[in-house]
Every structure is written in C-alpha cells, then in structure tokens.
C-alpha cells in the first residue's frame, strides 16, 4: 500500500494504457484467485481511463503493493495532482483488497508463514 519510490525491486501485477487501449496481466501472478484478478482488472482499467494515463499495480519485492501512473509527455489531459489524490482514495477504499494481496504475495511468493 505504498506509493513512494523505494530502493526495492518492483514487479507489475497488471497495467492498462489509455493511449494504446491495452491491458496487461502478468502471468507470474496467475495463481491469484479469479475474483481478485477480476477486481484488479476493473480497477486498473477504470483508473487508466479516468486519469488518462498508463496505470500500473504491482508488488515491491517485500510484498507491499504499489500503484503508479505514467503519462505521455505533453499530455495535457493528465492531472498529476488529481492522479495522486485518486491513488490515495484507492488505497483507502480498497485497503482490505490491498492487504489480501500483500498476504498472498508473502505466503505464495516469499514462502512466509503466517
């Protein structure tokens, strides 16, 4: 649930681009439950369209979830401040989903015991 630039490695779960009208889901995370994959897909695509950008959701290598927005240079439809506020709202409103993703990563990818 972190949005800062850390020194950790990052791995994209999924991304959507309003520019290319494409969606990507990383096969590395195909073991996620279907309902969670569906929720993630809807959120990422919706936010890419709403914010007019490329919207990414992923994991830091410690299992924390991150969100990232990227806009093309000279894209005057992209509002960086609005995007930051929207990501914070997502973190607040979807806290349970984000925590579940973190637990899943720590158990299934890092082999951590709960």
């Amino acid at each position: 649930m972190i949005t800062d630039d850390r020194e950790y490695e990052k791995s994209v779960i999924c991304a959507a681009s309003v520019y290319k009208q494409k969606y990507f889901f990383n096969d590395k995370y195909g073991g996620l439950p279907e309902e969670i994959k569906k929720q993630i897909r809807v959120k990422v695509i919706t936010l890419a369209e709403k914010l007019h950008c490329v919207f990414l959701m992923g994991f830091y290598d410690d299992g924390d979830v991150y969100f990232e927005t990227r806009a093309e240079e000279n894209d005057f439809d992209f509002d960086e401040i609005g995007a930051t506020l929207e990501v914070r709202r997502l973190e607040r409103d979807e806290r349970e989903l984000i925590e579940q993703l973190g637990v899943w990563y720590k158990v299934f990818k890092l082999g951590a015991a709960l």
Side-chain angles (χ1 to χ4, degrees):
M1 174 160 80
I2 308 296
T3 55
D4 62 339
D5 293 324
R6 300 204 248 170
E7 294 300 319
Y8 296 104
E9 292 292 318
K10 297 192 296 188
S11 177
V12 173
I13 301 169
C14 62
S17 172
V18 72
Y19 307 112
K20 296 184 179 187
Q21 294 294 306
K22 290 189 177 185
Y23 169 79
F24 165 78
F25 188 89
N26 192 339
D27 291 338
K28 180 178 176 181
Y29 302 113
L32 281 166
E34 288 301 318
E35 185 58 35
I36 289 178
K37 288 194 284 191
K38 181 180 175 184
Q39 288 178 40
I40 291 170
R41 181 178 65 245
V42 168
K43 298 211 179 306
V44 168
I45 291 171
T46 301
L47 285 170
E49 291 175 357
K50 180 177 183 179
L51 300 174
H52 201 269
C53 66
V54 175
F55 191 85
L56 298 101
M57 180 179 194
F59 289 114
Y60 287 109
D61 62 0
D62 66 355
D64 283 342
V65 174
Y66 75 90
F67 303 99
E68 190 174 313
T69 57
R70 296 182 186 169
E72 290 185 353
E73 192 172 337
N74 298 322
D75 180 353
F76 300 111
D77 289 328
F78 178 71
D79 175 9
E80 190 171 341
I81 294 169
T84 300
L85 293 173
E86 194 65 35
V87 167
R88 287 193 177 132
R89 186 187 66 73
L90 175 66
E91 291 173 337
R92 184 186 65 243
D93 292 351
E94 298 297 333
R95 183 176 314 254
E96 185 176 336
L97 173 63
I98 294 165
E99 288 172 0
Q100 290 172 346
L101 284 169
V103 168
W104 179 88
Y105 186 90
K106 289 171 184 159
V107 170
F108 291 100
K109 295 297 180 184
L110 298 178
L114 293 180

